[in-house]
Amino acid sequence: MSELFDRIDALVASRSVLPPPAERKRLRQAHGLTLDEVAAALDVRRATVSGWEAGKTEPRPPERDAYARMLKQLAELYPAPTNSAAPEQDTAVPETFTSEPAPAPEVRTAVAPVSEAAAMTATENTQTPAPVAPAPVAAPRPARTERPSSTLRRPVATSAGGTDLRFENGPLAVVDVDADGQAYAYCVGGLVLDVPAKSLPSLVDWTLKEAKLGAPKLSGPGKDADPLLVLTEAALEHYGLPVALTQEERHAGRISEGHKVIKQLVRADWKLTKRGFGPWARIYRPAQGSERACVQLCIPSWNALDTRHWGEAAQLPPAELARLLGVYASRVMTPRGSTAVTGLELMTALHPPTRASEPDADGKRHSEHNPASLGKDPVDCAPCEAPDGHPLLADLPRFHVRGPGEKLFEEAYDWARPMTDAECTLRHLVGIDVNMAFAAGANGLNVGLGAPTHVKTPAFDPKLPGSWLVDLSHVDLSRVKVGKDKRADLDASLLPSPFTPKGEQPEGPAWYATPTVAYAVELGYDVHPIEAYVRYDNGRYLDGWYQRLRDAYLATMADLGVHADMAPADFLAAMDGYRDRDPELAIVVSAVKATVKGGLGKLRERPRGEGWKPGQPWRALARPTWRPDIRAAVISRTRINLHRKIVKHAAFTGQYPVAVLSDCVVYAADGESPLGFLPYREGKPLPGGFKLGINPGLVKHEGTQSVLWGEEVRERFNAPELNLARYIKDGTVTDVDNGE
């Protein structure tokens, strides 16, 4: 009989009544409980409890009964306010799903106009700050042919902290259309809005007047982020747009100006930026006083979400895509285009070029230069910083090839060497990779803000940003300083030179960025520049940019179970398979890292067709953020940071790298784990050397292959110095010639 009772109890527990997901989270936080504490009490993973609170999953017996009991006790202690309490409901999953249409939601009040005065310019470089919103959570995935449930359409409560009511529905929405032709906007936090608009112009109007989408500015002098609408294939069909671009349209990057939808926008007095109606379109009206009217569209099926950085995001259902993009928007900024474009726009959003002045005699304010920004006007680079084809080099002979004495060539490492006999006796090749290496290189870096000044025979100043023509060929890596008063004897033949990307020893005067020359001084050698282009107006322009991207990276990795300050072995275990714990958040991690590299790459953007010829200006040169000197300084510092760790490691352990590619270093070792060769003592790493961890600048395990694999690959391609770091992750060698 007792066994029968147990089965009855289990059956009742399987349908224990639970409050809605948002209420579960409120009750836990009201009692001061963390996700970890609840997870430990219920003997489940932290991510499991997080999924219950997000409505992404539902608890099952036996945990469900215990979870319901805890929530019931908390509800008695912390009853919901009567004006915002959600009705208790049974969240057990029914055996059948009914597709009966849900009742229409309450009509919402119109969005208050954005208060920042800024005329929308007709260029692709219009700057808009990003949102600072709570991280969104997942919403249940509705069937493609069904209407969203009424639960999804329940408005999300605004936080007591004062969420901006103009943007209470978040920074963006994914617009989809069901089989009956009803359009819905999937917002962050699981909210779904009915969209009454039947045409694209009316959709833009609805977005600005009723949707309450957007995000507050990141900086005081900046502008609020415009709302972003992501259009699914069904939405494209609904609003008269092609589901895919033709080959000609892909080449042009936009649909033709004669398209019927563009004519509709023109008739409604809407304008497009110069880049036209492409994968990332901006639709606006010129600002009227302090009112700004602009909506951005993202069209995944037109390749707006590059698979190299966004993975399979374009294939996700609307609710999940809204969650993914919402996490990125809240932690980085509302996407303004590709991850590279967004990385560049983030710099400007944090340091707007202008600000309002103090009131004049008549009490009026005027636009003035914002200190610590790059300003609103572009500045010329130094001739040595100019890439080939730049107008500054128009007088050079057509086929002239500039050498190190004419051109600043600060790039990431691509160096490898043959293995020694001793290394060939070891069993494994272990790769370690620096987390967010280029972001770490930007942190605390002093960069030029204004135009360069040309000086002859200057005294080197490590605090002065610039490009220096100096001979560093006398620096001997076999005898360098590794501490304040300590020198180390090293085998220079087994080390890359820190002064060239290929790791070759320089042979005479060459142009270097300040961090490279400063490192030569740090190694204990005198330097005597011949000339330089220095920037007396300078500052730590990238600090805020680094901090925001660092925080976005660390927060997302923490959501995936990888936390800062973990013990080395725990960190390696946590990194193993972290992408499988939440593939959508793993995509966010990839996008954040691509934002770093792409944003820095945009600082020296090259011509992109448009009939450009060498010696002529190209469109990117008109941006204040076209700054090849800043890009060079970040890359220089990143490469130097890596070389410093390599030297410290060699001096302490006698181990030398076999290959270095950008931020990845490969060592020969007996064990498969980095712990087999990294010199930890009582859990503490070598000061100034490599340290395992998730923070930018620390390292993770990139991959392990056998020494036999490395020798076989090099022999197969007859390349004794083939860079094995390129293939260490999974051992797949695709094309040696182009390095893919």
Side-chain angles (χ1 to χ4, degrees):
M1 184 65 71
S2 61
E3 193 175 310
L4 178 62
F5 287 169
D6 289 341
R7 289 202 299 270
I8 294 298
D9 290 344
L11 182 63
V12 173
S14 70
R15 291 296 185 269
S16 295
V17 176
L18 296 174
E23 178 67 2
R24 304 170 196 174
K25 183 175 182 179
R26 185 193 74 81
L27 291 171
R28 174 181 61 77
Q29 292 178 335
H31 201 60
L33 298 175
T34 66
L35 287 171
D36 290 322
E37 289 174 327
V38 175
L42 297 174
D43 196 22
V44 296
R45 295 187 303 115
R46 179 182 187 274
T48 302
V49 180
S50 178
W52 296 344
E53 292 187 356
K56 191 174 182 180
T57 59
E58 288 296 323
R60 296 180 178 180
E63 291 84 5
R64 185 183 179 94
D65 190 34
Y67 188 49
R69 181 183 180 88
M70 180 193 76
L71 294 175
K72 182 178 180 181
Q73 293 178 3
L74 292 177
E76 294 173 355
L77 294 173
Y78 310 100
T82 55
N83 61 341
S84 62
E88 193 175 69
Q89 63 184 40
D90 186 353
T91 59
V93 180
E95 290 188 19
T96 59
F97 177 79
T98 59
S99 59
E100 187 172 311
E106 232 173 43
V107 178
R108 301 201 177 186
T109 56
V111 179
V114 179
S115 61
E116 289 299 317
M120 181 67 190
T121 60
T123 69
E124 72 173 284
N125 299 315
T126 304
Q127 318 285 347
T128 303
V132 183
V137 294
R141 181 189 300 186
R144 173 63 186 83
T145 57
E146 304 296 347
R147 296 188 180 185
S149 69
S150 58
T151 302
L152 284 176
R153 291 153 61 145
R154 185 177 58 251
V156 285
T158 56
S159 69
T163 299
D164 195 326
L165 294 179
R166 297 172 300 161
F167 313 127
E168 64 175 298
N169 293 335
L172 56 87
V174 179
V175 179
D176 192 31
V177 179
D178 67 12
D180 296 328
Q182 172 61 50
Y184 297 100
Y186 292 77
C187 307
V188 300
L191 175 70
V192 179
L193 304 173
D194 282 329
V195 179
K198 301 300 182 183
S199 68
L200 193 62
S202 61
L203 176 64
V204 175
D205 277 323
W206 172 83
T207 302
L208 293 172
K209 294 176 181 178
E210 298 182 44
K212 296 187 178 182
L213 296 173
K217 56 192 176 183
L218 284 179
S219 174
K223 297 186 286 287
D224 296 320
D226 297 319
L228 172 65
L229 296 181
V230 184
L231 303 184
T232 66
E233 293 184 7
L236 292 174
E237 293 177 346
H238 184 73
Y239 291 112
L241 291 164
V243 171
L245 298 179
T246 65
Q247 184 175 354
E248 183 180 349
E249 289 170 337
R250 286 197 301 271
H251 180 73
R254 68 193 77 181
I255 59 176
S256 68
E257 295 183 3
H259 194 280
K260 63 179 182 179
V261 171
I262 296 182
K263 292 180 179 179
Q264 292 174 1
L265 292 170
V266 171
R267 286 195 297 268
D269 295 325
W270 290 107
K271 297 180 180 294
L272 293 165
T273 56
K274 283 186 178 179
R275 59 182 170 184
F277 204 124
W280 292 91
R282 298 188 68 77
I283 303 172
Y284 74 98
R285 285 184 180 133
Q288 301 293 326
S290 62
E291 294 186 11
R292 178 181 173 86
C294 179
V295 172
Q296 178 163 303
L297 302 182
C298 167
I299 306 178
S301 66
W302 294 6
N303 199 34
L305 301 175
D306 193 323
T307 54
R308 292 173 299 175
H309 310 135
W310 291 102
E312 301 302 318
Q315 310 304 320
L316 291 174
E320 295 184 20
L321 181 56
R323 179 219 181 196
L324 186 156
L325 293 176
V327 172
Y328 180 89
S330 66
R331 293 176 177 175
V332 180
M333 69 179 294
T334 304
R336 292 290 308 271
S338 66
T339 50
V341 169
T342 304
L344 196 69
E345 294 289 343
L346 180 60
M347 297 179 194
T348 304
L350 294 167
H351 292 288
T354 60
R355 67 178 183 182
S357 67
E358 293 296 325
D360 60 17
D362 298 326
K364 295 182 178 179
R365 296 179 183 269
H366 306 277
S367 177
E368 66 178 13
H369 173 71
N370 184 27
S373 77
L374 299 181
K376 63 179 182 179
D377 299 315
V379 298
D380 283 336
C381 62
C384 63
E385 298 163 352
D388 294 338
H390 191 279
L392 287 175
L393 310 175
D395 294 334
L396 289 178
R398 183 176 179 185
F399 297 106
H400 177 74
V401 178
R402 294 186 294 160
E406 299 174 279
K407 180 180 180 180
L408 177 69
F409 194 63
E410 295 283 11
E411 298 295 340
Y413 266 131
D414 185 355
W415 170 88
R417 62 170 175 81
M419 283 185 276
T420 65
D421 291 342
E423 288 167 339
C424 288
T425 64
L426 302 176
R427 299 177 60 191
H428 300 286
L429 293 172
V430 183
I432 53 177
D433 180 79
V434 181
N435 297 312
M436 300 272 284
F438 294 98
N443 182 33
L445 178 64
N446 206 32
V447 299
L449 301 178
T453 300
H454 186 216
V455 291
K456 289 284 190 179
T457 60
F460 177 67
D461 182 353
K463 297 181 180 179
L464 187 59
S467 300
W468 309 78
L469 180 63
V470 58
D471 188 352
L472 300 180
S473 60
H474 63 291
V475 177
D476 183 4
L477 293 181
S478 65
R479 187 66 176 165
V480 296
K481 292 176 66 175
V482 293
K484 187 175 181 181
D485 300 310
K486 182 181 178 182
R487 285 185 177 270
D489 293 318
L490 302 173
D491 188 341
S493 66
L494 302 179
L495 287 171
S497 167
F499 308 127
T500 61
K502 291 294 185 180
E504 302 163 343
Q505 184 72 2
E507 297 179 351
W511 286 98
Y512 303 101
T514 297
T516 302
V517 184
Y519 187 55
V521 176
E522 179 185 325
L523 292 176
Y525 292 87
D526 294 330
V527 296
H528 303 285
I530 301 168
E531 60 178 307
Y533 288 90
V534 297
R535 288 171 169 82
Y536 296 109
D537 179 15
N538 53 69
R540 292 167 58 161
Y541 175 73
L542 295 173
D543 275 11
W545 183 81
Y546 159 77
Q547 289 161 9
R548 188 160 181 86
L549 289 166
R550 174 204 62 194
D551 291 348
Y553 176 69
L554 292 180
T556 311
M557 289 302 297
D559 289 342
L560 289 166
V562 185
H563 303 274
D565 302 322
M566 298 180 83
D570 294 339
F571 167 70
L572 292 174
M575 286 295 294
D576 187 20
Y578 77 92
R579 292 181 174 276
D580 298 330
R581 293 171 201 147
D582 191 326
E584 293 167 22
L585 286 183
I587 292 175
V588 175
V589 172
S590 297
V592 171
K593 293 193 289 187
T595 303
V596 173
K597 291 186 177 180
L600 293 172
K602 278 281 185 180
L603 292 170
R604 200 192 66 163
E605 183 177 359
R606 303 302 305 277
R608 303 177 66 183
E610 301 176 351
W612 174 82
K613 294 180 180 180
Q616 296 179 347
W618 57 91
R619 183 162 44 174
L621 299 186
R623 293 195 320 249
T625 49
W626 192 84
R627 293 295 300 272
D629 57 300
I630 296 179
R631 172 187 176 275
V634 173
I635 293 176
S636 163
R637 191 164 187 246
T638 303
R639 192 181 68 246
I640 294 307
N641 285 346
L642 185 59
H643 193 274
R644 185 182 292 112
K645 289 180 170 63
I646 290 172
V647 167
K648 290 270 189 180
H649 185 85
F652 189 81
T653 67
Q655 298 170 332
Y656 295 85
V658 171
V660 184
L661 180 69
S662 187
D663 47 10
C664 177
V665 187
V666 175
Y667 285 91
D670 273 325
E672 298 185 23
S673 168
L675 286 175
F677 69 92
L678 292 183
Y680 275 82
R681 286 186 175 178
E682 298 179 356
K684 295 182 179 180
L686 171 68
F690 295 109
K691 178 182 178 181
L692 289 166
I694 197 58
N695 284 292
L698 305 188
V699 299
K700 62 179 180 292
H701 184 205
E702 179 69 2
T704 296
Q705 305 297 329
S706 70
V707 167
L708 290 177
W709 164 86
E711 289 297 274
E712 188 274 330
V713 168
R714 285 178 164 178
E715 183 177 343
R716 188 198 326 162
F717 293 100
N718 193 26
E721 295 184 3
L722 178 69
N723 196 328
L724 298 174
R726 181 171 281 113
Y727 316 107
I728 195 71
K729 189 167 188 175
D730 60 11
T732 302
V733 182
T734 52
D735 192 332
V736 171
D737 291 333
N738 62 20
E740 291 180 358

